[in-house]
Amino acid sequence: MIGACTGRPVSITGLGCYAPERVLSNDDLARMVDTSDEWIQTRTGIRERRIAAPEQATSDLCLPAAEAALRDAGVQAIDLDLVIVATITPDMLFPSTAALVADRLGARRAAAYDLSAGCTGFVYGLAQGYAAIAAGLAARVLVIGADTLSRIVDWSDRATCVLFGDGAGAVVLEPIERRGFHAFELGADGAGGLELYMPSGGSRRPSSAETVAAGEHFMRMNGREVYKFATRVLLSSARAVLDISGKSVGDIDLYVPHQANLRIIERAAKKLKIEEERVFVNVDRYGNTSSASIPLALEDARAEGRLKDGMLVLMTGMGSGLTWGSSVITWTEGREDER
Ligand code: UT7
């Protein structure tokens, strides 16, 4: 799916994030599995990640992020028309985490649903929110990317457990005078679905004592294949979305790719010819937080003064499905008079 946002201008008018307090360092992991800080940093760029407290589920991570985004936008929950939670670790298979979050926020007028597109979920959610507003179905949409991957990671598997962390990021989308979103490009290749998946707990293999004994309730990943896929789609999707939006690589002020692995990011940036100063990286602090990774990066970039009003931002997510998605947006900060 690809398209330029030629209709009613829509933008991000509020941003908020939440990362659990507990920090798990590479040295902590080295005490749990046969790994080292040196291996993890060299292969992934990750130094530490956040882990949810035992009583925290994904909706508990969503709530503070959503409240912060609503405050940032100056929007009341009751005025939301739609709440989308992009996650692969919902509180339960159903009801949707979005419905639970909407209730706790007091978003009583809103439709609410979960969106499953792995680490691409946040960008898919932006496209859905944008489209709902551009088509006139909604005026205010809350898009949350949140995952508690620590609950589906096999903590005895060194090939995966060192990569992931927990977190949540939320944005409010509204129509404003200036153009925010310029274009989207989204895709999926289910033929690669089993390169990154959770074998049981669904209708094909319902959970049983047998599936639990076999560890099928943990995620499984073919790291090398996902690496190849990621480096490929980061380039193809970025090029496609820039092309349809009529922008060039040189126009981009900040490149915010999904924070999975520093090597993947650096390789994509090099091939796209985006120098380091225009690339945002915080995978060192959070690891791969799936659908929370891009909003967490936007939040840190803004806090560091690297994301400002009027800047052109390129975001690309990729992950399970296999899926990918990019968007080009002009960042519109603090212009309430435009709404
Ligand atoms: O959002 C998308 C989600 N997934 C990703 O983005 C992951 C994409 N893939 C990757 O980032 C990389 O493939 C990994 C970081 C997962 C692995 O890096 P790699 O350079 O592809 O390593 P590898 O799988 O080829 O393994 C190299 C060696 C192996 O040992 P041998 O066979 O050479 O003796 C592994 O057993 O490193 C070993 N290894 C480890 N050693 C220490 C694998 N994991 C670890 C570990 N600590 N944690």
Side-chain angles (χ1 to χ4, degrees), residues 244-326:
I244 192 91
S245 60
K247 307 285 182 192
S248 72
V249 167
D251 296 328
I252 298 300
D253 296 302
L254 195 66
Y255 176 42
V256 184
H258 169 47
Q259 306 285 311
N261 180 327
L262 181 62
R263 278 158 62 212
I264 296 176
I265 295 172
E266 286 181 342
R267 204 182 141 132
K270 192 170 167 207
K271 293 234 170 185
L272 287 167
K273 298 197 169 54
I274 306 180
E275 62 281 6
E276 215 178 294
E277 301 72 55
R278 291 192 287 150
V279 182
F280 193 79
V281 174
N282 66 357
V283 69
D284 52 322
R285 282 168 264 169
Y286 300 109
N288 181 346
T289 57
S290 186
S291 57
S293 116
I294 289 180
L296 276 169
L298 292 171
E299 172 94 326
D300 281 359
R302 184 169 71 167
E304 291 172 23
R306 294 187 56 195
L307 178 59
K308 293 183 186 145
D309 186 69
M311 281 187 164
L312 196 67
V313 181
L314 167 65
M315 312 175 230
T316 301
M318 46 43 186
S320 82
L322 298 169
T323 56
W324 64 89
S326 292

Side-chain angles (χ1 to χ4, degrees), residues 39-158:
W39 191 96
I40 301 170
Q41 288 219 39
T42 314
R43 302 283 178 136
T44 71
I46 300 167
R47 286 188 294 116
E48 59 188 39
R49 68 288 292 144
R50 302 296 186 89
I51 303 295
E55 68 278 10
Q56 283 180 312
T58 296
S59 67
D60 302 313
L61 311 191
C62 290
L63 201 66
E67 286 169 345
L70 289 169
R71 261 196 316 276
D72 193 37
V75 164
Q76 304 294 318
I78 192 69
D79 294 323
L80 290 170
D81 301 300
L82 175 60
V83 176
I84 300 171
V85 174
T87 187
I88 51 166
T89 48
D91 287 23
M92 297 162 256
L93 266 181
F94 65 91
S96 71
T97 300
L100 300 174
V101 171
D103 175 57
R104 287 170 71 184
L105 286 172
R108 285 185 297 280
R109 292 180 46 253
Y113 63 88
D114 288 358
L115 188 164
S116 174
C119 307
T120 320
F122 180 72
V123 180
Y124 267 51
L126 292 180
Q128 300 240 308
Y130 161 76
I133 295 173
L137 274 179
R140 289 178 197 87
V141 177
L142 180 68
V143 178
I144 308 174
D147 270 304
T148 317
L149 293 179
S150 62
R151 296 286 151 72
I152 60 164
V153 158
D154 179 351
W155 289 102
S156 66
D157 175 17
R158 69 175 184 174

